[in-house]
Amino acid sequence: MTSQIDRRAFFRLGAGLAGLTTATSFGLQLAAVGSAAGQSAPDYKALVCVFLFGGNDANNMVLATDSDSWGRYFAARNQGTDPIALMPVGTAPTPVGQVNAVTGRASALGKPEHWGGVLPIAPRTAQAIPAGTNATSRTFGLHPLMSPCKTLFDQGRLAVLANVGTLIQPTTKAQYQARSVPLPANLFSHNDQQSTWQAGAAEGARTGWGGRMGDMLMNMNGQNTIFTAITAGGTAVFLSGQSVVQYPLSTNAAPAVTVNGTTATTLFGSSAAPGELKTIINDTVTASDFANDLGRINARSVGAASVVNEVFSRAVVTAVPSPPTYTNPATGATETNSLALQMRTVARMIAAAPAFGVKRQVFMVSLGGWDSHDNQNRDQSNNLAKVAQAMSYLDSTLANINGVDMRANVTTFTASDFSRTFNTNGDGTDHAWAGPQLIMGGAVKGGDMYGQFPTVGMDVSGFSNPNMVGASFIPTTSVDQYAATLGRWFGVSDTDLNTIFPNLRNFSQPNLGFL
């Protein structure tokens, strides 16, 4: 353990605590905490990844609503014991127990008939008409329970990126069927596709592109590099870098240290404990039993963690409003929106950034429960409503952070393992490939759709969908292009982007233009 190799390895693993190993460095930052209100950070930028674990059925999140596309959509999904087809634009919600005029079925909580029609959105740029689509122009809509996202789209702070998925190089249907081009490993596998979305490689990858972007820009955060990559939704490879170590924040645990002014007053409820903990740490540093490299590194790390906790508790006292109440659309019950609580944690950290002198941060929040092999109407409706409320909450909260509108400094984007099959098994869907994603922020060229929305419809007699294999859409935009566009706005150079995303050179449009 005391060899040079082990010392180097241990220091590398502890790189996220660089500059944070003494209380002195924190003391310098405390002077700024009291004056954080009203400070602006014109050069501050943050990325917020909203990862939907399990594979969101994006075919019911953003839909083509022109008559040609809608006819194929409704035919494929209005089937089975619990059809998942949504109602067309303009359909009024059907009260519980009454018969819906479109389907002839009785309406109930948690059913499409009860939610009303798809919410129309009008992208500012007309979408090209892909092969196999017979409409003269295309129209689009959002899931009926995502009205907060429609408002953001209409206000120009939300954009849609169509048909994005994991790719190594541009791939056509013929190339996929002939296996004549390299394909991502283990398509349709949860673990592997989650990892490929987050890290560019199948399960087992050790660093993600969020963490690698943090590696490139962490020097902008001075001594407080520990706050470069922050997760409020559980650790994941996305935020792991070569040097950056993700910093987890809880949304519901009581803080170990409570603060009154500039003095730590309690530790786990004890007023005497803060001083005693520091004494123990100091004793550890000097005790002969720990007079070796491992002991000193451990003592410094524990000491730093204690001070981080105390200083962080002081810095995040800035008031951030709680998320509004939330009603589960499938049950009518009032519930806690766990994703909105994670967004509140993100907002509190952004509010504290001036106190720490932090200029670049990558966040990750997440929501599970998207693997909708069955009960999709019940589960996905609730999850999409949570996403819409959480994104709207973050947008409104960032509009006033310490008296400053920070929405142009923060870009939030969705990601998921994959989309779902275009057809239905009767009350759910299976694993698929590409689908649309959402991007939100003041710097987003919102109110528009980027990429190519695919031809809609299953292969049937007389119709062969050029954008689909089986029941899955082939991506026309790669995750690498999506991520590189975010990274370029974040401040990562083109040279570094090509290092982070080695397959980016395979695509003719590395910048998708939505920022």
Side-chain angles (χ1 to χ4, degrees):
M1 286 294 238
T2 59
S3 71
Q4 293 295 319
I5 294 175
D6 290 329
R7 289 177 64 195
R8 286 196 298 270
F10 209 101
F11 275 117
R12 185 174 66 251
L13 290 172
L17 292 174
L20 300 181
T21 55
T22 67
T24 303
S25 64
F26 290 101
L28 296 175
Q29 294 295 335
L30 283 177
V33 174
S35 60
Q39 291 183 4
S40 63
D43 55 346
Y44 174 87
K45 288 186 177 181
L47 291 173
V48 183
C49 174
V50 183
F51 204 92
L52 312 178
F53 280 99
N56 170 39
D57 178 22
N59 301 309
N60 264 14
M61 182 175 74
V62 182
L63 305 91
T65 58
D66 55 87
S67 59
D68 182 60
S69 299
W70 186 264
R72 294 185 189 138
Y73 162 83
F74 203 77
R77 295 201 149 196
N78 188 38
Q79 300 184 24
T81 57
D82 189 8
I84 60 173
L86 300 175
M87 299 299 102
V89 170
T91 304
T94 304
V96 172
Q98 295 188 17
V99 175
N100 179 271
V102 175
T103 65
R105 294 187 292 266
S107 176
L109 281 175
K111 304 299 180 185
E113 291 85 356
H114 185 61
W115 306 327
V118 169
L119 304 173
I121 57 173
R124 295 172 181 173
T125 305
Q127 273 273 309
I129 308 298
T133 300
N134 297 321
T136 56
S137 63
R138 305 197 82 181
T139 57
F140 301 95
L142 297 176
H143 191 284
L145 295 176
M146 299 190 77
S147 58
C149 284
K150 171 178 165 55
T151 299
L152 289 167
F153 187 92
D154 293 344
Q155 292 174 347
R157 292 193 303 282
L158 183 86
V160 174
L161 179 59
N163 206 38
V164 58
T166 57
L167 283 173
I168 294 175
Q169 67 178 63
T171 300
T172 66
K173 182 174 185 174
Q175 289 170 330
Y176 174 88
Q177 291 173 330
R179 296 298 194 269
S180 60
V181 296
L183 297 171
N186 301 324
L187 284 170
F188 319 115
S189 157
H190 282 297
N191 292 350
D192 292 296
Q193 290 308 296
Q194 287 169 11
S195 181
T196 304
W197 260 91
Q198 296 178 32
E203 185 177 20
R206 301 183 65 180
T207 64
W209 55 265
R212 296 196 292 268
M213 286 183 184
D215 286 337
M216 303 299 181
L217 300 176
M218 63 188 293
N219 64 320
M220 297 181 68
N221 293 338
Q223 291 182 324
N224 289 337
T225 56
I226 194 171
F227 296 133
T228 300
I230 296 177
T231 174
T235 56
V237 70
F238 172 70
L239 290 179
S240 295
Q242 294 290 347
S243 298
V244 164
V245 178
Q246 56 191 303
Y247 187 85
L249 292 176
S250 173
T251 60
N252 54 14
V257 178
T258 60
V259 177
N260 180 13
T262 60
T263 304
T265 55
T266 69
L267 175 62
F268 295 115
S270 168
S271 59
E276 292 297 327
L277 177 61
K278 292 176 183 177
T279 299
I280 292 170
I281 292 169
N282 290 334
D283 286 346
T284 301
V285 172
T286 57
S288 59
D289 289 345
F290 295 95
N292 56 60
D293 292 329
L294 178 60
R296 285 193 294 271
I297 293 169
N298 179 67
R300 289 192 328 213
S301 297
V302 172
S306 173
V307 179
V308 166
N309 192 24
E310 181 178 331
V311 176
F312 183 76
S313 297
R314 293 172 184 167
V316 296
V317 296
T318 302
V320 170
S322 297
T325 57
Y326 170 74
T327 301
N328 185 329
T331 64
T334 300
E335 297 180 357
T336 299
N337 186 345
S338 59
L339 186 61
L341 290 179
Q342 293 175 56
M343 293 296 202
R344 184 172 189 256
T345 299
V346 170
R348 293 179 72 191
M349 188 66 238
I350 291 171
F356 292 117
V358 172
K359 301 298 184 182
R360 291 292 184 275
Q361 291 182 291
V362 187
F363 295 90
M364 182 172 179
V365 298
S366 65
L367 186 65
W370 299 88
D371 194 16
S372 51
H373 291 281
D374 51 24
N375 295 315
Q376 180 165 314
N377 282 327
R378 179 195 68 191
D379 296 338
Q380 194 201 25
S381 63
N382 187 33
N383 275 341
L384 286 177
K386 285 182 177 181
V387 169
Q389 189 211 33
M391 293 182 73
S392 178
Y393 162 77
L394 182 63
D395 174 80
S396 62
T397 301
L398 292 175
N400 183 12
I401 293 289
N402 295 326
V404 177
D405 187 342
M406 294 292 291
R407 288 178 294 187
N409 303 78
V410 181
T411 298
T412 303
F413 61 98
T414 63
S416 191
D417 319 14
F418 35 62
S419 187
R420 314 292 296 189
T421 51
F422 192 70
N423 59 359
T424 174
N425 60 23
D427 73 337
T429 48
D430 208 340
H431 304 176
W433 197 354
Q437 301 295 340
L438 307 176
I439 311 111
M440 179 187 79
V444 174
K445 298 176 184 177
D448 215 345
M449 181 176 290
Y450 297 83
Q452 177 62 60
F453 204 93
T455 300
V456 172
M458 301 292 298
D459 287 352
V460 293
S461 177
F463 176 77
S464 178
N465 190 332
N467 297 142
M468 184 175 282
V469 288
S472 300
F473 289 112
I474 305 168
T476 45
T477 298
S478 74
V479 174
D480 288 8
Q481 293 170 283
Y482 184 21
T485 305
L486 294 163
R488 185 172 287 103
W489 169 84
F490 197 49
V492 182
S493 69
D494 288 347
T495 298
D496 287 338
L497 285 173
N498 284 315
T499 300
I500 295 172
F501 306 106
N503 295 326
L504 189 61
R505 299 178 180 87
N506 298 335
F507 299 91
S508 61
Q509 189 181 10
N511 184 357
L512 300 175
F514 56 75
L515 284 163

